[in-house]
Amino acid sequence: MEEYRVKLKLQNLFIAIACFALAAFAFLNALNEAGVISFLPPVDGNAHHQSMWRGFLTGASTGLLGFFGFGLIRNIRALRDDEILKKQYIKDTDERQIKIWTAARALSMQIFVIGGLVAGIIAAYFSMAVGITIIVCVTIHSFIGLFCKIYFDIKF
């Protein structure tokens, strides 16, 4: 249990750093939208498009901040109470859940590759740049999967 405690403390450190970075990014984007500063302005598009993009970035950052904050609070509660720590350890190391998540990720990668190729082909009829971008993303995703497979073949 002490090893798991150390793991949670390290995880809390990384989550806290990520929370700080996300809060700073959301704050800078909000100041940028208010016209107080000029921080990473979008390159193209009219003012409406730029405002929409900054709002999206601020909202996405705030949403991730909430998600990470929830995880941080959960870990802190577990570190303070041994009963909660034990339940969380059992939940995190449950072999059945690990197997289910592994199978789900494998299936989702297959669906992404096939669906992405179909979407790229269809999108290319409307915009060649969008179609090529989708196909490049699918290709990169496939190579990442291949490299992970090679890594785990070597590791195990």
Side-chain angles (χ1 to χ4, degrees):
M1 217 33 102
E2 283 305 313
E3 289 178 23
Y4 187 65
R5 220 179 257 284
V6 170
K7 177 185 172 185
L8 284 183
K9 288 178 183 177
L10 183 63
Q11 190 178 60
N12 283 350
L13 176 66
F14 286 121
I15 290 173
I17 291 169
C19 284
F20 177 76
L22 284 168
F25 188 69
F27 183 70
L28 288 173
N29 268 314
L31 288 178
N32 192 20
E33 179 62 22
V36 176
I37 62 170
S38 179
F39 173 72
L40 293 174
V43 176
D44 62 350
N46 59 20
H48 178 72
H49 173 264
Q50 292 177 359
S51 178
M52 183 268 317
W53 181 246
R54 285 190 294 264
F56 171 77
L57 290 178
T58 303
S61 299
T62 305
L64 282 173
L65 181 63
F67 178 73
F68 285 152
F70 176 77
L72 188 62
I73 292 169
R74 184 184 74 139
N75 286 350
I76 290 171
R77 285 186 61 221
L79 288 171
R80 291 185 178 172
D81 186 356
D82 287 339
E83 187 65 31
I84 296 173
L85 181 69
K86 185 177 178 181
K87 286 180 183 178
Q88 188 169 326
Y89 175 77
I90 291 170
K91 184 178 177 185
D92 287 349
T93 58
D94 181 23
E95 292 177 7
R96 181 175 176 269
Q97 287 298 316
I98 292 170
K99 180 74 173 162
I100 289 170
W101 275 107
T102 302
R105 282 192 297 268
L107 180 61
S108 72
M109 181 171 176
Q110 292 173 346
I111 291 170
F112 178 82
V113 169
I114 293 168
L117 290 175
V118 171
I121 291 168
I122 293 170
Y125 283 107
F126 301 99
S127 171
M128 188 59 72
V130 172
I132 290 172
T133 301
I134 293 172
I135 291 172
V136 167
C137 289
V138 168
T139 304
I140 291 170
H141 184 71
S142 298
F143 277 123
I144 290 171
L146 176 65
F147 292 140
C148 289
K149 188 247 186 244
I150 292 169
Y151 170 77
F152 284 114
D153 275 347
I154 293 169
K155 185 178 177 182
F156 297 116

